[in-house]
Amino acid sequence: MSYLKEFKKITTHSLLQMKQQNERISMLTCYDYSMALLLDSAGVDCLLVGDSASNVMAGHETTLPITLDQMIYHAQCVVRGTNRALVIVDLPFGSYQSNSEIALSSAIRIMKETGAHAIKLEGGLEVVDSIKKIVGAGIPIMGHLGLTPQSIYQFGSYGVRAKEADEANKLLAEAQLLQEAGCFGLVLEKIPAELAKQVSEQLSIPTIGIGAGNACDGQVLVMHDMLGINTEFKPRFLRRYLNLGELIPQAVKAYVADVKSQDFPNAGESY
Ligand code: KIV
């Protein structure tokens, strides 16, 4: 069974229906117009303009440096290339942590200046007030628990989170709080599959996993990772669908050789 034909445009309500009807939700990150055209036409349900743009687009070590203006630029490009998918944009580090007024004004900027459909932010109890404020303004919001990369310097590593009972129980409680605060969905990053299953069964809103096993209501991957652009990154949870990290250099080497040998352009490629 597929919703590809049924849903002309994916909304937060479609995602809820998918959970209720046990249809898994597909999500990929996206940061630019041309890729948005390709991913959207291939039928991915949600495009996440992730703050992982800080890593894969800008080359930073962490997601912390990317700014709200830069996220808005990426989101504008993705929205222009999207017809069917739900476009969700990360609130970047520093744009919501101070207080709920600042969080709301950052969320409003994203919605007003990009045409995206929803936003996402990281954290549990500490962001509940901001979530309520943002939802109160009519903006759909997705939560993000488990490994939250904006807190990497507090965690100290990108290892699996919530392996111990204390942290697992805290995560279960915070997932419930985020749902009650009004989140329409929840990303679960790098937590044990059994815990993600428990969260997914406990919540009525969809969970989207990355490194969180097969029981989540949907899955998300960073587009550069699943296309094999970044060959260095090989976590256990990653499935590579293409090896662009090899294919692109092969194509570029062929182009360079053709230019050097004066094979390119030939008569048919000239005016
Ligand atoms: O920024 C991002 O790419 C994300 C996903 C890993 C969920 O938040």
Side-chain angles (χ1 to χ4, degrees), residues 7 41 62 103 114 151 186 267:
F7 288 119
S41 67
T62 72
T114 71
S151 306
L186 177 62

Side-chain angles (χ1 to χ4, degrees), residues 141-157:
I141 182 161
M142 178 168 250
H144 184 154
L145 291 174
L147 176 65
T148 46
Q150 292 179 15
S151 306
I152 188 59
Y153 291 120
Q154 203 168 50
F155 295 150
S157 88

Side-chain angles (χ1 to χ4, degrees), residues 51 53-54 58 60 63-74 89-95 109-110:
D51 60 356
S54 180
H60 293 295
T63 58
L64 277 68
I66 199 160
T67 65
L68 184 57
D69 285 338
Q70 289 165 339
M71 289 301 296
I72 286 172
Y73 167 74
H74 286 296
V89 185
D90 264 338
L91 280 180
F93 178 69
S95 72
R109 273 201 68 198
I110 289 179

Side-chain angles (χ1 to χ4, degrees), residues 1 11 23-24 56 64 86 113 140 145 157 183 187 220-221:
M1 182 180 64
T11 66
E23 162 149 349
R24 291 293 199 256
V56 297
L64 277 68
L86 183 82
E113 295 177 36
L145 291 174
S157 88
C183 285
V187 166
V220 58
L221 284 175

Side-chain angles (χ1 to χ4, degrees), residues 127-264:
V127 291
V128 163
D129 283 348
S130 297
I131 290 173
K132 287 184 181 160
K133 194 122 194 149
I134 291 166
V135 172
I139 301 172
I141 182 161
M142 178 168 250
H144 184 154
L145 291 174
L147 176 65
T148 46
Q150 292 179 15
S151 306
I152 188 59
Y153 291 120
Q154 203 168 50
F155 295 150
S157 88
Y158 287 98
V160 178
R161 304 301 312 172
K163 286 200 279 194
E164 307 301 330
D166 277 1
E167 198 182 334
N169 289 334
K170 180 168 179 274
L171 191 145
L172 277 163
E174 289 189 321
Q176 192 65 37
L177 277 179
L178 295 187
Q179 171 170 288
E180 282 160 16
C183 285
F184 72 86
L186 177 62
V187 166
L188 295 173
E189 181 164 354
K190 240 180 162 185
I191 61 170
E194 191 47 46
L195 176 60
K197 181 168 185 277
Q198 258 180 284
V199 176
S200 305
E201 286 171 358
Q202 170 186 292
L203 299 186
S204 55
I205 57 171
T207 59
I208 308 291
I210 174 164
N214 197 20
C216 293
D217 303 301
Q219 297 292 328
V220 58
L221 284 175
V222 170
M223 183 243 302
H224 287 61
D225 299 339
M226 64 86 76
L227 295 180
I229 293 173
N230 170 11
T231 49
E232 299 303 303
F233 187 62
K234 297 178 193 157
R236 169 174 168 166
F237 69 76
L238 174 62
R239 187 179 294 180
R240 282 229 176 93
Y241 288 83
L242 201 58
N243 203 346
L244 285 183
E246 280 178 14
L247 293 176
I248 290 176
Q250 266 173 32
V252 173
K253 278 180 191 161
Y255 165 73
V256 170
D258 288 351
V259 170
K260 299 283 180 194
S261 67
Q262 300 182 28
D263 177 73
F264 176 79

